Amino acid sequence: MVSTPRVILAGEAMLELSARAGGLWQIGYGGDTLNTAVHLARLGCTVAYASALGSDAFSANLRQQWQAEGLDCSLLLTDPARSTGLYSISLDAAGERTFSYWRSDSAARQMFALPDSARLAEALGEAQVLAFSLISLAILPMAGRHLLLDAARKVRAAGGQVVFDGNFRPRLWDSQAEAAHLRDIAIAVASIGLPTLEDEVALGLPDDAQAVAAHWQRLGCAETVVKLGAKGCLLPDGTLVPPPQVLQPVDTSGAGDAFNAGYLAARLAGASPHDAALRGHALAGWCVMRPGAIPPRDGQAPYA
């Protein structure tokens, strides 16, 4: 097996309430960077998750579950005054999701303002591979955003890789312009970019995957893979790679995060972008056929 570098993902993870039959709710966990982190660990990568949780029983249980998945939780700080964020997810007949959030004062927002935050910032800047998303920036106050971006610059300057997913959630931002501005700053420090066409259009770019790729590449992110949902993805060389056919998705909530993990794990192991995209599609396809942002492993899971 090819040895791959340690990956640190920084962002916000939350408790997940998923609607089930009979009006019941199931408690789980999710968050874009966490979803990718767990999939990466299942794929055999060495992965650390960087964030902050509360000191409540739910937070302690989350740590235990993530450690059981193989995540290094040494960069998870504890905020004694705040709790972990919460979101609920309900699905329509086509598997498309609707979210409600309770995260405005979550512990993760303070990850760079806690007593141990200097250690966290230093560890991020020394990462071999650092991954974060536009959501990671959205939940942070401005000082925290600067610290995360500074860490990414240090990683690039030292020859490491920075992975950025332009995951746009309008409700987390004061304005579209603010989100687009921070996205562009993050693009400029990224070595691998994983934008979604739908998000980029919402941020003001043309409804054209080639135009999105050109924007990201112009700002300095050479390896840009534009995710196109059911149509597949556009590779840096302009090749369109379609996904395997999925007849009736059950839950699309973690598809993009699963694709990110499959693609990144393959690239870190030396695979070509085309083969990495196929790995990403396979994992995303498995994920959308099961409920939850991070489905439990089963016999069909493409982790081998």
Side-chain angles (χ1 to χ4, degrees), residues 168-258:
F168 177 49
R169 297 292 181 268
R171 285 177 291 182
L172 294 177
W173 295 93
D174 291 336
S175 69
Q176 179 208 59
E178 180 190 36
H181 175 65
L182 266 294
R183 175 208 56 191
D184 285 352
I185 294 174
I187 292 171
V189 302
S191 48
I192 297 178
L194 297 164
T196 299
L197 178 60
E198 182 180 358
D199 290 339
E200 296 302 299
V201 172
L203 284 167
L205 291 183
D207 189 4
D208 182 310
Q210 294 280 5
V212 169
H215 179 82
W216 281 56
Q217 291 163 2
R218 184 168 57 250
L219 290 175
C221 184
E223 186 170 338
T224 299
V225 179
V226 184
K227 293 173 285 185
L228 307 172
K231 295 181 181 179
C233 66
L234 183 73
L235 297 183
D237 65 0
T239 302
L240 179 65
V241 182
Q245 185 176 12
V246 176
L247 296 179
Q248 184 61 53
V250 173
D251 182 351
T252 61
S253 61
D257 310 325

Side-chain angles (χ1 to χ4, degrees), residues 50-61:
S51 188
L53 296 174
S55 57
D56 55 281
F58 281 119
S59 296
N61 182 257

Side-chain angles (χ1 to χ4, degrees), residues 35-247:
N35 301 342
T36 298
V38 170
H39 287 304
L40 283 170
R42 291 178 179 181
L43 286 163
C45 296
T46 301
V47 186
Y49 193 64
S51 188
L53 296 174
S55 57
D56 55 281
F58 281 119
S59 296
N61 182 257
L62 291 178
R63 290 176 185 269
Q64 293 174 357
Q65 292 187 64
W66 300 343
Q67 287 171 338
E69 285 282 5
L71 294 186
D72 174 355
C73 293
S74 63
L75 298 179
L76 277 174
L77 306 187
T78 299
D79 187 333
R82 294 173 177 81
S83 60
T84 302
L86 170 71
Y87 71 97
S88 67
I89 177 171
S90 55
L91 304 171
D92 63 20
E96 291 300 327
R97 70 268 196 212
T98 300
F99 296 99
S100 296
Y101 292 97
W102 296 266
R103 72 198 304 184
S104 60
D105 197 32
S106 71
R109 292 177 178 265
Q110 300 301 314
M111 72 173 83
F112 290 109
L114 296 170
D116 208 18
S117 294
R119 177 179 66 86
L120 173 61
E122 182 179 5
L124 295 182
E126 295 175 350
Q128 295 174 287
V129 181
L130 174 61
F132 64 100
S133 73
L134 193 58
I135 292 177
S136 305
L137 294 173
I139 60 106
L140 293 171
M142 191 58 69
R145 293 171 183 174
H146 287 312
L147 286 168
L148 179 53
L149 291 167
D150 284 346
R153 293 185 185 97
K154 291 177 183 176
V155 172
R156 284 295 302 276
Q161 296 194 67
V162 175
V163 183
F164 175 60
D165 179 352
N167 217 344
F168 177 49
R169 297 292 181 268
R171 285 177 291 182
L172 294 177
W173 295 93
D174 291 336
S175 69
Q176 179 208 59
E178 180 190 36
H181 175 65
L182 266 294
R183 175 208 56 191
D184 285 352
I185 294 174
I187 292 171
V189 302
S191 48
I192 297 178
L194 297 164
T196 299
L197 178 60
E198 182 180 358
D199 290 339
E200 296 302 299
V201 172
L203 284 167
L205 291 183
D207 189 4
D208 182 310
Q210 294 280 5
V212 169
H215 179 82
W216 281 56
Q217 291 163 2
R218 184 168 57 250
L219 290 175
C221 184
E223 186 170 338
T224 299
V225 179
V226 184
K227 293 173 285 185
L228 307 172
K231 295 181 181 179
C233 66
L234 183 73
L235 297 183
D237 65 0
T239 302
L240 179 65
V241 182
Q245 185 176 12
V246 176
L247 296 179

Side-chain angles (χ1 to χ4, degrees), residues 7-20:
V7 183
I8 300 178
L9 292 101
E12 180 185 34
M14 294 172 287
L15 290 164
E16 176 190 79
L17 293 178
S18 300
R20 294 293 183 261

